[in-house]
Amino acid sequence: MGEPFHADSKDDTLHVESVTPSSLSSPTEELDELDSIERTQSGKFAWLVSITAGVGGLLFGYDTGIISAVLVYLGEDLGKVLTSQEKELVTSITSGGAFIGAIAAGLTADRFGRKGAIYMGCTLFIIGAVLQACSYSIAQMTVGRLVVGFGVGSAAMIVPLYIAEVAPAKYRGRMIGLDNMSITGGQLISYGIGAALAKVPHGWRAMVGLGAVPAILLMGLLPFCPESPRQLIYHNKPEAAASVIARIFPEGTPEQVQQKVQHITHHVMAAKSLQEGKGHTWLIKQLYVVPANLRALIAACGLMAISQLGGFNSLMYYSSTLFALVGFSNPVAVGTIIAGTNFIFTWVNLMLVDRIGRRRILLCTMWGMALFLVLAAVAFHWIPINHDLTLKSTKIGWPAYVVLVCMIFYVAFYSSGMGNTAWLSSEFFPMEVRAYGTMMLTCSCWGSNIIVASTFLTQMENTTPSGAFGFYAAICFFGWIAVYFCYPEVKGMTLEDIREVFNHGFGVKYARKLQKEAKLRNKSQRERIGASA
């Protein structure tokens, strides 16, 4: 792992010894003891880094939300009034670009580090925002949306991975949740800007141009953030990794910092030994030919696909169109209610995810999504809508309000559960394939997103709104069943410990056993501390 590093032996100076394979051949119990620093209190540094990196979520969130308002107010500014198919193209092309951007980020994340991909994502997003604001044809707008997609995909893939590698185990869910808070915050901000600029001539140009602001902000703050300790050790920089760990765990002793470096180094060396002399194709293949990796991939990507195919992003992309369809005169303002609900309940998820666990949150919320989608499908039956998605009457009746209420409750269940928890699943993958696994996770997001964004309006026309929402309800219900059997609880576990879970099937029972053992150990430790005091 590179040249040994020896620091001065003074008490206040960090000391990192060289790590050899023989020194790491200890039993699992001894290896776990090297991670004792995780039981100390972390400082503000990790939170500040996570908050800064989470600004990347604004890129995703703002773009997702602003296109909803843009589609309503484009008019003939691109040379003609857009058809349903052209609206689907302009919307879904970003998801296609994000799919490619996620792949590019995944293939380069280990070689160039996590921060490099974030810089690239910000740059692409700025270029795309300018191209959109200057568009005078559908082709120009499509190119701008595609370039934005490259940036969104890169940032969406790397940011949760970066935060997962920086965060202490006991706060990892909440810290990754900060990225999700930024996503929903970006959506809320975009709806507010959309409503504010609704009456401004050609105001949609300012709407898309302002998307460059969070990218510029992130590029300005990122130099203050370190590379993740795991990446620093991966690139033979144990001294720098030790410095970052000491800042993350300010109450840890120099010996504990040294042990944490040894703990990470053990797993990094194992990962590098598997990667040595291997290309991207071989490493991606390991996600499928190694049973434990495949199960982790199915659990992670399955939940992500359900989170997209369950209809939420069709609501975010087309909420203004949808609420105009049911008769509301200011659909962007009504859509802001949905975005506000999304933001508030993302905060609820952030507060609960590390306390009650990922799995329990999913099981308590996914059934509610299915229920309120069914109720919305029933309400749509009573709204007089033509085949071309125009209203037969301009009067707003009770069914329109029922649809709005159902969508608010649906979003509340989604945001407090699956919408944010799905992004935590990058923690399932072992070090040697973590970047590739997170790449596949992000690709499953954008691949599903493409399907929804490019078919929603057409599906509404061909199967009626009731049929479309009933279809989404079925996906949520069967997804709820899949989570029960295939999604283990990993709250409080280190990334290095999680890899063992999927060596026992999907690990639901095994993870439950580990959680009980961890509770007993913590209880025993508290009792010993109390007795010694």
Side-chain angles (χ1 to χ4, degrees):
M1 289 303 298
E3 290 296 318
F5 171 72
H6 297 280
D8 201 338
S9 59
K10 294 177 183 177
D11 290 341
D12 60 346
T13 305
L14 199 59
H15 174 62
V16 182
E17 295 178 353
S18 61
V19 183
T20 63
S22 61
S23 68
L24 295 171
S25 58
S26 55
T28 302
E29 292 80 3
E30 294 182 23
L31 187 62
D32 289 340
E33 281 302 310
L34 295 178
D35 216 17
S36 63
I37 198 171
E38 287 282 355
R39 294 193 286 271
T40 67
Q41 185 61 40
S42 60
K44 297 179 181 179
F45 179 72
W47 287 101
L48 292 174
V49 170
S50 299
I51 291 170
T52 300
V55 175
L58 286 174
L59 308 182
F60 183 3
Y62 187 88
D63 181 78
T64 302
I66 205 63
I67 191 61
S68 177
V70 169
L71 292 177
V72 173
Y73 300 120
L74 269 175
E76 298 183 2
D77 284 1
L78 298 182
K80 55 175 290 191
V81 176
L82 272 61
T83 64
S84 292
Q85 288 72 28
E86 288 167 338
K87 288 181 179 180
E88 288 174 341
L89 171 64
V90 168
T91 303
S92 63
I93 195 66
T94 298
S95 299
F99 186 91
I100 297 171
I103 293 175
L107 294 178
T108 59
D110 284 336
R111 183 176 180 182
F112 299 108
R114 311 316 191 200
K115 290 175 63 177
I118 299 177
Y119 277 120
M120 181 55 67
C122 292
T123 302
L124 290 169
F125 198 91
I126 293 169
I127 295 171
V130 173
L131 289 174
Q132 288 181 86
C134 298
S135 295
Y136 287 91
S137 69
I138 296 175
Q140 288 176 296
M141 186 68 170
T142 301
V143 171
R145 297 282 299 162
L146 178 64
V147 175
V148 161
F150 293 152
V152 168
S154 177
M157 182 263 163
I158 289 293
V159 168
L161 175 61
Y162 172 70
I163 295 175
E165 291 187 342
V166 171
K170 59 185 173 184
Y171 297 129
R172 189 173 58 246
R174 273 175 273 184
M175 288 186 178
I176 297 177
L178 292 171
D179 179 49
N180 298 321
M181 282 293 296
S182 292
I183 293 173
T184 56
Q187 290 167 342
L188 180 60
I189 291 170
S190 70
Y191 273 83
I193 290 175
L197 298 176
K199 305 299 182 182
V200 177
H202 314 295
W204 66 269
R205 297 188 186 278
M207 295 179 196
V208 294
L210 287 172
V213 173
I216 295 171
L217 176 63
L218 181 56
M219 289 186 75
L221 293 174
L222 205 55
F224 299 100
C225 297
E227 186 56 86
S228 81
R230 289 167 178 84
Q231 275 297 295
L232 291 170
I233 291 174
Y234 186 89
H235 290 284
N236 302 322
K237 298 177 180 179
E239 311 96 323
S243 176
V244 174
I245 291 169
R247 297 181 72 185
I248 294 173
F249 300 99
E251 295 186 12
T253 64
E255 181 184 5
Q256 286 179 312
V257 172
Q258 174 186 326
Q259 289 174 341
K260 181 67 173 178
V261 172
Q262 290 178 326
H263 185 263
I264 295 175
T265 301
H266 170 79
H267 293 281
V268 169
M269 288 178 69
K272 292 185 80 169
S273 67
L274 288 172
Q275 293 177 335
E276 190 174 0
K278 308 298 192 303
H280 294 305
T281 302
W282 187 90
L283 289 167
I284 292 173
K285 185 179 178 181
Q286 299 313 296
L287 286 169
Y288 298 92
V289 300
V290 176
N293 291 346
L294 178 60
R295 287 189 286 267
L297 189 69
I298 291 172
C301 294
L303 181 65
M304 180 60 78
I306 293 166
S307 75
Q308 305 304 306
L309 296 174
F312 175 77
N313 273 328
S314 63
L315 179 62
M316 296 310 297
Y317 289 140
Y318 298 110
S319 63
S320 297
T321 303
L322 182 65
F323 290 127
L325 169 66
V326 298
F328 290 103
S329 59
N330 193 345
V332 176
V334 176
T336 304
I337 298 174
I338 299 296
T341 303
N342 188 25
F343 181 78
I344 292 169
F345 282 90
T346 297
W347 179 260
V348 172
N349 177 275
L350 183 69
M351 293 294 99
L352 296 178
V353 68
D354 283 324
R355 296 178 182 178
I356 68 175
R358 292 86 158 123
R359 174 181 167 84
R360 188 179 298 176
I361 285 178
L362 291 170
L363 294 176
C364 291
T365 56
M366 290 177 69
W367 65 268
M369 294 169 57
L371 172 63
F372 284 101
L373 283 172
V374 168
L375 293 177
V378 173
F380 266 114
H381 177 73
W382 300 100
I383 299 176
I385 300 174
N386 296 313
H387 177 72
D388 62 354
L389 301 183
T390 57
L391 279 174
K392 295 178 181 178
S393 171
T394 57
K395 182 180 178 181
I396 302 177
W398 63 266
Y401 292 106
V402 171
V403 169
L404 176 59
V405 171
C406 287
M407 290 300 95
I408 290 173
F409 277 96
Y410 163 77
V411 170
F413 277 104
Y414 176 88
S415 301
S416 59
M418 180 168 59
N420 301 297
T421 306
W423 288 101
L424 302 182
S425 301
S426 60
E427 63 192 4
F428 284 176
F429 303 108
M431 176 72 186
E432 62 270 17
V433 293
R434 186 171 300 141
Y436 300 95
T438 306
M439 177 187 76
M440 298 303 296
L441 174 69
T442 311
C443 285
S444 67
C445 167
W446 295 113
S448 304
N449 215 311
I450 292 170
I451 295 172
V452 170
S454 62
T455 61
F456 177 66
L457 295 179
T458 302
Q459 186 179 11
M460 293 265 285
E461 290 176 353
N462 294 335
T463 67
T464 74
S466 294
F469 279 78
F471 175 75
Y472 294 145
I475 290 176
C476 292
F477 177 75
F478 287 111
W480 179 55
I481 295 175
V483 164
Y484 181 83
F485 290 103
C486 302
Y487 201 90
E489 181 56 72
V490 297
K491 71 168 184 174
M493 298 184 190
T494 66
L495 295 176
E496 287 71 32
D497 292 336
I498 292 172
R499 66 182 300 149
E500 182 65 21
V501 169
F502 288 97
N503 286 323
H504 300 77
F506 278 97
V508 173
K509 292 182 179 179
Y510 183 75
R512 189 180 299 127
K513 173 187 172 185
L514 292 181
Q515 297 286 339
K516 290 180 180 178
E517 292 175 353
K519 286 182 180 179
L520 290 175
R521 284 198 304 271
N522 291 336
K523 181 180 179 181
S524 176
Q525 184 181 18
R526 285 195 297 269
E527 289 176 349
R528 286 199 305 270
I529 293 173
S532 63

